[in-house]
Amino acid sequence: SIVHALHRYLIILLILGIPHYVYGFKQYSQGAMATYMKYPKGAINHKVPKSIPAWQAAFIEPLACSVHAVELGSVGFRDTVVVAGCGPLGLGMVAAARLKSPATLIALDLFDWKLEVAKKCGADVVLNPSHCDVVEEVHSLTGGYGCDIYIEATGHPQSVKQGLLMLCKMGTMVEYGVFGQEATVDWTIISDAKGM
């Protein structure tokens, strides 16, 4: 499928260290919502078949990114997985993680309506950080153990610290959010986290 092909292509680029500029991102080239577009020399483009409606084709790239994030997390069937951020990418991550059949899939977001969509995408538990201490809740849900995999898709620096505090010993954190400001974290909090 196109999603799997794009996913494999992105992994190869990452492994080989080849620059992989994306249209409309980081000002390398223009893109998105343009009537016409000039492709840079050496661009690799995939033509979407006419059988796929444009509104569905628009989801190919974000869904490929979501699948890629879940693959980076190596989700297993006994894992507790937390996806922080239920925007388009985060919801794709929830849906992709559900296909891996983790023991518990938790979605976090500040908007309750997004959490309702996350439930429809397969989240077992939804938590709003403005309504509860999500670190405490995740530890409570896991008997003090913490989550096995934390996928950060908010792009907010506080979400990084939050993830480190709820990760179990030897847990996996996948950073996928795009930050609008510098994100710094005191990495010593890992040794202070419950279960560490």
Side-chain angles (χ1 to χ4, degrees):
S1 76
I2 293 174
V3 171
H4 287 98
L6 183 57
H7 180 244
R8 282 193 302 273
Y9 173 69
L10 289 173
I11 289 174
I12 290 167
L13 291 177
L14 291 170
I15 291 169
L16 297 177
I18 297 169
H20 49 285
Y21 303 109
V22 178
Y23 297 121
F25 185 71
K26 298 284 186 180
Q27 306 306 316
Y28 172 70
S29 64
Q30 294 184 1
M33 307 306 287
T35 304
Y36 298 99
M37 206 168 136
K38 186 175 180 181
Y39 298 111
K41 182 180 178 183
I44 298 173
N45 301 293
H46 296 277
K47 189 168 184 166
V48 177
K50 292 189 184 294
S51 60
I52 299 176
W55 68 270
Q56 287 181 344
F59 288 101
I60 293 171
E61 190 273 342
L63 184 57
C65 290
S66 298
V67 170
H68 180 60
V70 172
E71 290 291 319
L72 288 173
S74 300
V75 176
F77 69 91
R78 292 177 11 171
D79 291 331
T80 295
V81 179
V82 174
V83 175
C86 293
L89 288 177
L91 291 171
M93 292 168 191
V94 170
R98 173 49 51 214
L99 293 174
K100 297 286 190 173
S101 300
T104 308
L105 179 54
I106 303 167
L108 310 177
D109 202 278
L110 294 172
F111 296 95
D112 291 331
W113 67 269
K114 289 183 180 182
L115 293 172
E116 289 302 315
V117 178
K119 284 182 193 175
K120 293 177 183 176
C121 289
D124 298 309
V125 177
V126 295
L127 300 171
N128 185 326
S130 66
H131 299 172
C132 66
D133 181 335
V134 292
V135 174
E136 188 176 296
E137 287 293 324
V138 168
H139 281 284
S140 176
L141 289 167
T142 59
Y145 183 72
C147 64
D148 299 285
I149 299 156
Y150 182 87
I151 304 175
E152 199 290 313
T154 70
H156 193 282
Q158 184 60 33
S159 183
V160 177
K161 180 179 179 183
Q162 170 183 278
L164 292 174
L165 288 170
M166 70 174 63
L167 266 179
C168 69
K169 186 173 185 178
M170 301 298 289
T172 300
M173 181 165 179
V174 177
E175 177 51 58
Y176 224 84
V178 177
F179 295 93
Q181 62 195 55
E182 185 176 320
T184 57
V185 175
D186 176 6
W187 288 95
T188 62
I189 65 173
I190 294 173
S191 62
D192 295 334
K194 294 178 183 176
M196 295 292 182

